[in-house]
C-alpha cells in the first residue's frame, strides 16, 4: 500500500530556532502533498499545497515566509518552521494522494508534534 | 458557516451500544466523502469512503444524502477499541490535487 513517511515524530525546540519536517512517499510518486496543522481539540487545517518543482500554494492566513515548503522531488516535501514561537506548537501532518488508478486514496504521514519552548 | 460540521460530542457509550454520528457540509459541489478515525496523537486513518447508495463495512454503515448535504456513520455493537475521534471528511472536487477538508471530529468513548 501507499506509505508516507514523516520525520521527526516529535521535536522540542527553543523559540527563535527553525525546525524542518520531512515527508517522503515511499512507494509512489507524489506530485502534490498537503500540509496540515492541528491544534488540540481542533480539526486538521490545511496550511499549504506543495507541488513538485513549483511554489507551494498557501492558505489564507498562513505566512509563507514563516512556513517554508520545498518539494524538490517527486518523493520528498519539506516544511520548515522558521523562527519558531510557542504559538507554533502544534501537530503538523502531511498527506498525499497516490496516482489515479491506485488502490489507495489519500495517505497521511504519522505527524510531527512540535513543541516550542 | 464551517465547511464541514459534525456533532460536538463527546459520546460516551457502553460496549455493545449502537452510536450514530452526523455531519453536514456546505459545498454542494463536493464530490468525495469519507469517514476517518483519529486516535490520540496519531494521524487520521481512513475508516471508509461514503457513497450515495450507502455502504457497509462490518459493524460500520455510512450514508450520504446529497440533497441535504448530510453524511452519517453508524457503529453497531461498539467495542472498546472503537474509542477514538471520528472525522467527517469531504473532498470539494475530484482530482489528485484537491486537499481534503476535515470536520472538527467527534470523540467516542466506549466504556466497559
Amino acid at each position: 500500500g501507499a506509505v508516507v513517511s514523516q520525520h521527526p515524530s516529535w521535536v522540542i525546540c527553543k523559540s527563535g530556532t527553525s525546525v524542518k519536517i520531512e515527508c517522503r512517499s515511499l512507494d509512489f510518486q507524489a506530485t502534490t502533498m498537503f500540509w496540515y496543522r492541528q491544534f488540540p481539540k481542533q480539526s486538521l487545517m490545511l496550511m499549504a499545497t506543495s507541488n513538485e518543482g513549483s511554489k507551494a500554494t498557501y492558505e489564507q492566513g498562513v505566512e509563507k515566509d514563516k512556513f517554508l515548503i520545498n518539494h524538490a522531488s517527486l518523493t520528498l516535501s519539506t516544511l520548515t518552521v522558521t523562527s519558531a514561537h510557542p504559538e507554533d506548537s502544534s501537530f503538523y501532518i502531511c498527506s498525499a494522494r497516490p496516482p489515479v488508478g491506485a488502490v489507495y486514496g489519500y495517505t497521511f504521514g504519522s505527524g510531527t508534534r512540535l513543541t516550542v519552548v | 458557516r464551517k465547511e464541514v460540521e459534525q456533532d460536538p460530542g463527546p459520546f460516551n457509550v457502553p460496549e455493545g451500544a449502537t452510536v450514530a454520528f452526523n455531519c453536514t457540509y456546505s459545498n454542494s459541489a463536493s464530490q468525495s466523502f469519507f469517514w476517518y478515525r483519529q486516535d490520540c496523537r496519531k494521524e487520521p486513518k481512513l475508516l471508509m469512503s461514503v457513497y450515495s447508495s450507502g455502504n457497509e463495512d462490518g459493524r460500520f454503515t455510512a450514508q450520504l444524502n446529497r440533497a441535504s448535504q448530510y453524511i452519517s456513520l453508524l457503529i453497531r455493537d461498539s467495542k472498546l477499541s472503537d474509542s477514538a475521534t471520528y472525522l467527517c471528511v469531504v473532498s470539494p472536487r475530484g482530482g489528485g490535487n484537491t486537499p481534503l477538508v476535515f470536520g472538527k471530529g467527534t470523540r467516542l468513548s466506549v466504556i466497559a
Side-chain angles (χ1 to χ4, degrees), chain A residues 24-35:
Chain A
R24 294 179 184 274
S25 55
L26 297 185
D27 48 4
F28 67 99
Q29 293 182 334
T31 56
T32 301
M33 281 196 180
F34 307 105
W35 285 95

Side-chain angles (χ1 to χ4, degrees), chain A residues 36-108:
Chain A
Y36 293 86
R37 178 169 56 182
Q38 185 178 35
F39 291 107
K41 298 185 179 180
Q42 299 294 316
S43 61
L44 276 75
M45 296 300 296
L46 181 68
M47 298 176 66
T49 300
S50 166
N51 300 297
E52 186 269 334
S54 64
K55 292 182 178 180
T57 303
Y58 290 81
E59 295 299 298
Q60 190 174 7
V62 179
E63 300 175 58
K64 62 179 181 180
D65 293 330
K66 180 172 180 62
F67 299 98
L68 302 179
I69 291 175
N70 184 282
H71 196 151
S73 76
L74 288 171
T75 59
L76 174 64
S77 177
T78 62
L79 167 67
T80 301
V81 182
T82 63
S83 187
H85 289 105
E87 57 264 33
D88 298 325
S89 298
S90 187
F91 187 59
Y92 294 85
I93 188 164
C94 62
S95 173
R97 182 172 182 172
V100 174
V103 175
Y104 296 95
Y106 294 88
T107 186
F108 288 83

